[in-house]
Amino acid sequence: MMKIDREKATDLVLGVLGIGLFLVLWEVIGAYRLAGLTWPKLSDVLAFLFEPSRQGLFLRAMGASFSMVAAGYVLGLVIGIAMAALVHVINPLRPGMDRFASVVNAIPPIALAPIFIVLLSREVTGMAIATLNVFFVIYVATTSGLQSSTRGHRDLFAVIGASKIRRFMSLDMPAAFPALVSGMKYAIPAAFIGAILGEWFGSSRGLGLLMVSAMQNFQIPLLWSAVLIASTASLLAFGAMSLLERFVYGRFR
Amino acid sequence: MSAPHPQVSSTPWAIDIDHVGKVFTLDNGESLVAVDTVDLKIEKGEFVALLGPSGCGKSTILRLVAALEDPTTGRIAIENRDPLSLSRQHRLGVAFQDHALLPWLSVKNNIALPYKVAGRPVDHERIADLLGLVGLKGFENARPSQLSGGMRQRVSIARALILNPDVLLLDEPFGALDAVTRRHMNVELQRIWGEERITSLLVTHSVEEALFLADRVIVMSGRPGRVVKSIAVPFERPRRPEVQRTAEFHSLADELTLALEPEEAAAS
């Protein structure tokens, strides 16, 4: 017990040291202009970010982007799970759906963006790309998870006379849960990429818009601030999902 | 305990394995005869052990009785009915070598699973009784991962018994346990079975296990699987562990061991 705790503590210390080192390097590179004028000091970016007069600007951008990320994530999650469940129950649909998902994933979102802008609107293009990205990750994770029950479990359900629906509810779904949660973890950065990429294509709000306009107007601290917000949010959500994943793996396997 | 579904049958057999054969077609197109014409009748309330080396088709016979496979030739009837219709009516109980407990459910909910599958209300009193019978009182809310191998098998046996099945099928239920735990579990199963007296089919490769638990031991040879010997076990019930140290037990064990290894018998 003590040994495991010590290992955990070592991991934690090393992790904190690593992050600290990264932040110090950022500051040093900025302070000595080692990467040119476009790499600001971390302290400058933070000062810019927490300047009270800009709170409104950042909060509005965060509200717009994160609502697109969340909407795209939830939509992709629901569609991904629903499609995976459908092809699991109606097996002949599976090869077709697998191929469709792969083809959609093989098209770069940047090529689809103009179509979404025409079909939907500029404001929801980011959400639509996020939905597509999340859908693919969730669909793949859920279809493989639904098949992860062991032969012993399937035999048991057959012998005790379980209907297909009962087996799906009591065996296939809970057995798929760890794979689904892993998929949900990897879908987080996919949702952020989609939403922010979508905002580059002329959305009137959001962090993506902030990045593009800051870049074009050479507002270096603003650009880095927007990137820092998006990255931190993505990493925090990813970390939260990692914790959930650990809990689910402990409980469902 | 009396059988839960009393019915008059036209044949007296609880399980009638009537000239059954099973041929598997392998991936390379060759066919493998897993079971050659096996003919076996089991009476109501009888405990029969199928004994044989691995790969002799004894597990295939159990899977045929459990309706997990269809026979290639012959037919199987349980209480004069097709095994599949019994499994659909939730009247089969089964315990495998792999305990097949659901890791996300507590002990209590694992035992209650057949109720859910059958769409019947959960009888909490029956669950408590069975937990007591398998010696797991106080572990209701534990998860399978918190239990030892032997305890998991007890849960799996309690789950097999929960709906008062017509037939209990046991496929090497203690095969993955260490020798000491296994012997202990045999004593426990003998006691549990004495209380419920369900028609039972046990598949095992342990001579002592078969002799200690069963009313009749069927020895199979592989491949193709066929019955080479059948002996009635004379020991009275309830059986005490000491019976395994009697001369009669040893001589029956020798007889069964020789039937299992005919080459050795011929050489000596």
Side-chain angles (χ1 to χ4, degrees), chain A residues 88-167:
Chain A
H88 183 74
V89 176
I90 309 173
N91 232 305
L93 294 178
R94 175 147 191 204
M97 194 62 211
D98 280 0
R99 249 164 254 155
F100 174 73
S102 313
V103 166
V104 168
N105 186 251
I107 302 171
I110 214 149
L112 287 174
I115 295 176
F116 283 133
I117 290 172
V118 177
L119 276 177
L120 305 164
S121 79
R122 285 177 189 280
E123 303 307 322
V124 296
T125 294
M127 184 196 80
I129 299 177
T131 303
L132 267 191
N133 286 352
V134 172
F135 158 74
F136 179 72
V137 177
I138 296 296
Y139 175 79
V140 170
T142 312
T143 44
S144 76
L146 284 171
Q147 292 184 310
S148 63
S149 60
T150 63
R151 181 177 163 185
H153 284 149
R154 289 193 294 271
D155 283 350
L156 170 78
F157 273 72
V159 177
I160 62 178
S163 65
K164 213 172 170 183
I165 296 295
R166 170 50 65 190
R167 197 187 101 171

Side-chain angles (χ1 to χ4, degrees), chain A residues 23-47:
Chain A
L23 297 177
V24 168
L25 266 176
W26 181 342
E27 182 75 13
V28 169
I29 292 172
Y32 293 96
R33 303 263 162 88
L34 296 178
L37 286 173
T38 49
W39 185 301
K41 285 193 293 184
L42 173 62
S43 52
D44 287 352
V45 175
L46 289 178

Side-chain angles (χ1 to χ4, degrees), chain B residues 42-62:
Chain B
I42 298 174
E43 279 176 49
K44 201 171 188 72
E46 192 183 14
F47 193 131
V48 169
L50 275 179
L51 183 67
S54 44
C56 73
K58 58 190 191 300
S59 281
T60 304
I61 291 184
L62 185 126

Side-chain angles (χ1 to χ4, degrees), chain A residues 150-163 166 170-172 174-175 250-253, chain B residues 63 66 68-69 87-88 90 92-94 96 98 100-104 113-114 116-117 143 159 169:
Chain A
T150 63
R151 181 177 163 185
H153 284 149
R154 289 193 294 271
D155 283 350
L156 170 78
F157 273 72
V159 177
I160 62 178
S163 65
R166 170 50 65 190
S170 294
L171 176 63
D172 298 345
R251 177 134 183 191
F252 280 74
R253 296 228 290 205
Chain B
R63 292 178 66 81
L68 288 169
E69 310 273 357
S87 108
R88 292 218 171 113
H90 324 289
L92 299 180
V94 71
F96 299 107
D98 158 26
L101 298 179
L102 300 178
W104 51 84
L113 180 74
K116 280 186 132 191
V117 164
R143 296 192 174 278
R159 179 180 60 190
L169 302 170

Side-chain angles (χ1 to χ4, degrees), chain A residues 41-79:
Chain A
K41 285 193 293 184
L42 173 62
S43 52
D44 287 352
V45 175
L46 289 178
F48 188 91
L49 189 58
F50 289 106
E51 162 72 41
S53 64
R54 297 194 188 92
Q55 295 280 299
L57 172 75
F58 286 127
L59 285 178
R60 274 196 306 280
M62 280 161 71
S65 288
F66 294 166
S67 59
M68 286 297 120
V69 171
Y73 187 82
V74 171
L75 212 58
L77 183 68
V78 169
I79 299 175

Side-chain angles (χ1 to χ4, degrees), chain B:
Chain B
M1 183 173 277
S2 65
H5 300 281
Q7 61 181 132
V8 185
S9 37
S10 59
T11 69
W13 310 114
I15 305 177
D16 183 0
I17 301 171
D18 186 14
H19 297 89
V20 162
K22 178 69 185 174
V23 181
F24 289 107
T25 308
L26 304 178
D27 288 340
N28 60 12
E30 281 177 44
S31 51
L32 172 81
V33 183
V35 176
D36 195 18
T37 332
V38 164
D39 204 49
L40 180 62
K41 322 282 181 205
I42 298 174
E43 279 176 49
K44 201 171 188 72
E46 192 183 14
F47 193 131
V48 169
L50 275 179
L51 183 67
S54 44
C56 73
K58 58 190 191 300
S59 281
T60 304
I61 291 184
L62 185 126
R63 292 178 66 81
L64 289 164
V65 175
L68 288 169
E69 310 273 357
D70 290 322
T72 312
T73 54
R75 71 180 265 288
I76 292 181
I78 304 176
E79 317 257 326
N80 278 313
R81 311 177 59 157
D82 177 27
L84 190 60
S85 73
L86 262 93
S87 108
R88 292 218 171 113
Q89 290 171 26
H90 324 289
R91 287 162 62 183
L92 299 180
V94 71
F96 299 107
Q97 176 172 342
D98 158 26
H99 52 80
L101 298 179
L102 300 178
W104 51 84
L105 294 183
S106 65
V107 164
K108 195 173 56 190
N109 288 334
N110 261 296
I111 298 177
L113 180 74
Y115 281 123
K116 280 186 132 191
V117 164
R120 289 181 207 162
V122 176
D123 183 345
H124 294 281
E125 222 168 280
R126 167 91 176 137
I127 293 177
D129 285 352
L130 269 177
L131 273 168
L133 185 65
V134 300
L136 282 176
K137 240 182 192 100
F139 288 91
E140 291 81 0
N141 297 314
R143 296 192 174 278
S145 58
Q146 296 167 316
L147 303 180
S148 69
M151 289 159 95
R152 287 177 203 166
Q153 283 304 345
R154 289 164 198 247
V155 179
S156 142
I157 285 167
R159 179 180 60 190
L161 294 172
I162 191 77
L163 293 182
N164 295 308
D166 291 9
V167 169
L168 179 63
L169 302 170
L170 304 164
D171 189 0
E172 299 260 10
F174 311 130
L177 303 179
D178 63 86
V180 175
T181 312
R182 182 170 192 161
R183 205 164 302 155
H184 183 61
M185 289 301 296
N186 282 334
V187 173
E188 295 283 299
L189 179 60
Q190 203 278 136
R191 178 180 60 80
I192 294 163
W193 189 83
E195 308 245 333
E196 306 257 337
R197 296 251 173 183
I198 298 166
T199 309
S200 300
L201 183 60
L202 167 77
V203 160
T204 182
H205 57 246
S206 160
V207 169
E208 287 75 20
E209 186 169 285
L211 263 182
F212 182 63
L213 290 172
D215 298 315
R216 193 148 53 101
V217 179
I218 311 288
V219 182
M220 289 186 65
S221 75
R223 283 170 170 160
R226 62 164 70 92
V227 174
V228 291
K229 196 176 184 69
S230 166
I231 68 162
V233 181
F235 310 117
E236 294 218 336
R237 293 183 189 272
R239 290 176 190 163
R240 306 199 48 80
E242 293 82 67
V243 82
Q244 296 177 83
R245 292 195 286 273
T246 60
E248 196 177 9
F249 191 93
H250 287 302
S251 83
L252 282 173
D254 287 346
E255 194 182 337
L256 289 172
T257 308
L258 280 179
L260 275 174
E261 293 158 0
E263 294 85 4
E264 241 172 73
S268 60

